[in-house]
Amino acid sequence: SILIKLDTIVFIIGLMSALPLMFLTTRKPIVFYFIFNFGIFIGFNYFLTMVTDLSVREHVDYALDNTIALIFVFAVSYILFTIHSKILNSLKRFRLFLSNIIDSMPSIIIGINSNYQIVMWNKEAVKINGLYRDQVTHESLFDILPQLKNYKHSIKSVIETNITAKHHKVPFPSKDKNLTVDITVYPLSHEESGGAVIRIDDISERLQMEEVIVQSDKMLSIGGLAAGMAHELNNPLAGMIQSAQVVNTRLAQNLPANNKAAKEADVTMG
């Protein structure tokens, strides 16, 4: 009876060796493994019946103990596999959600580790040089984007000091055209991994709009100045025109008042 109990313990230990199977992506290996062990269990029971003189009660105890052990370990493995799968699926969904957020941002987002290797590359970053995420992952940032070599010291300082750095109106040539961008470097403060996140915002259109606004303001100022000058010139010109009209009226021959004044002055209007 003691040997039977020891055999049951060994059987349980053998079944527990199946627990690593829960880290696989499907349940089939677990099911096949326990079907295989159940077959061994049935065969070993038949072997005991043929070569031993155990009583019926001892056979029942042995079968019952090992059956319970088999069911228990299988249930535990199956439950752990289910929990593990749910956790993995939740992590995958959360990772996909974060990835979608980053890809939806209008800014260029690049994540690097402490060795300046790229670990994150969103869709906007693809537009810089046409390289996709799998092509740049774990590559050196300055090999992929040599435009940032001048800011290596700044990026290093951000990683070491955990202080954000900003650079405004930076010339940034891309594969299609020359851009003007704002560069912001954020630290990743995790003690083990470290690194930084680089955000690049294209401000070329904004600068063009600002230039248009400045030119419009200049034209508006010139228009106001011209209107003021015209107003100032209009006043003396109006006086001069009015005086000329008065003189012209006084010299007209067909007015009785003019003829009378000329006769009194002993002159003629001709």
Side-chain angles (χ1 to χ4, degrees):
S1 179
I2 296 176
L3 292 176
I4 291 177
K5 297 297 182 182
L6 290 175
D7 179 71
T8 301
I9 294 173
V10 173
F11 185 59
I12 293 174
I13 294 173
L15 290 174
M16 294 298 288
S17 65
L19 292 180
L21 295 176
M22 74 177 185
F23 295 105
L24 300 178
T25 56
T26 66
R27 294 182 174 87
K28 290 182 179 179
I30 294 179
V31 176
F32 290 151
Y33 181 82
F34 281 95
I35 290 175
F36 173 75
N37 277 275
F38 184 72
I40 294 176
F41 168 66
I42 296 298
F44 190 70
N45 271 278
Y46 177 75
F47 174 77
L48 287 177
T49 304
M50 298 297 296
V51 300
T52 62
D53 56 352
L54 296 176
S55 65
V56 175
R57 181 174 179 178
E58 289 175 327
H59 273 292
V60 171
D61 288 343
Y62 176 77
L64 185 61
D65 288 345
N66 284 276
T67 301
I68 293 174
L70 182 66
I71 294 174
F72 174 76
V73 176
F74 177 76
V76 170
S77 300
Y78 197 86
I79 292 172
L80 290 177
F81 175 85
T82 303
I83 295 173
H84 180 260
S85 298
K86 288 181 178 180
I87 293 173
L88 284 181
N89 290 333
S90 297
L91 290 174
K92 288 179 181 179
R93 287 195 299 269
F94 184 68
R95 185 176 181 180
L96 181 61
F97 178 69
L98 288 180
S99 179
N100 288 335
I101 291 176
I102 294 172
D103 285 337
S104 299
M105 296 182 66
S107 302
I108 297 168
I109 304 295
I110 303 169
I112 60 172
N113 59 22
S114 57
N115 296 321
Y116 309 110
Q117 293 177 324
I118 296 174
V119 295
M120 182 173 59
W121 183 269
N122 72 341
K123 289 184 179 180
E124 282 297 315
V126 176
K127 298 179 182 179
I128 302 176
N129 50 19
L131 297 177
Y132 290 90
R133 183 176 302 163
D134 56 348
Q135 296 175 287
V136 302
T137 301
H138 303 306
E139 298 291 333
S140 172
L141 171 68
F142 306 110
D143 291 339
I144 302 300
L145 291 178
Q147 303 96 316
L148 296 176
K149 284 184 177 180
N150 293 335
Y151 302 94
K152 184 175 182 178
H153 178 74
S154 176
I155 296 172
K156 180 181 179 181
S157 177
V158 169
I159 294 175
E160 293 177 349
T161 63
N162 286 336
I163 298 176
T164 301
K166 296 183 180 182
H167 305 277
H168 300 288
K169 297 183 180 180
V170 177
F172 196 90
S174 68
K175 67 173 185 176
D176 297 326
K177 58 182 179 179
N178 293 327
L179 306 175
T180 303
V181 302
D182 284 343
I183 300 176
T184 308
V185 185
Y186 301 97
L188 293 177
S189 57
H190 196 281
E191 295 181 357
E192 295 182 1
S193 59
V197 175
I198 303 171
R199 192 185 80 187
I200 302 175
D201 297 302
D202 182 9
I203 60 171
S204 302
E205 293 185 2
R206 192 187 77 190
L207 291 180
Q208 291 176 358
M209 291 298 297
E210 290 178 355
E211 184 65 24
V212 170
I213 293 173
V214 170
Q215 293 298 327
S216 299
D217 289 341
K218 289 181 180 179
M219 295 301 296
L220 182 62
S221 299
I222 293 173
L225 178 61
M229 292 178 64
H231 179 72
E232 294 298 327
L233 292 174
N234 183 61
N235 291 335
L237 287 176
M240 294 170 65
I241 292 172
Q242 186 177 8
S243 298
Q245 290 175 345
V246 171
V247 171
N248 183 58
T249 302
R250 290 296 186 182
L251 295 178
Q253 297 183 11
N254 57 349
L255 291 178
N258 291 346
N259 293 329
K260 181 179 179 181
K263 185 175 180 180
E264 291 176 353
D266 198 21
V267 296
T268 63
M269 296 297 295

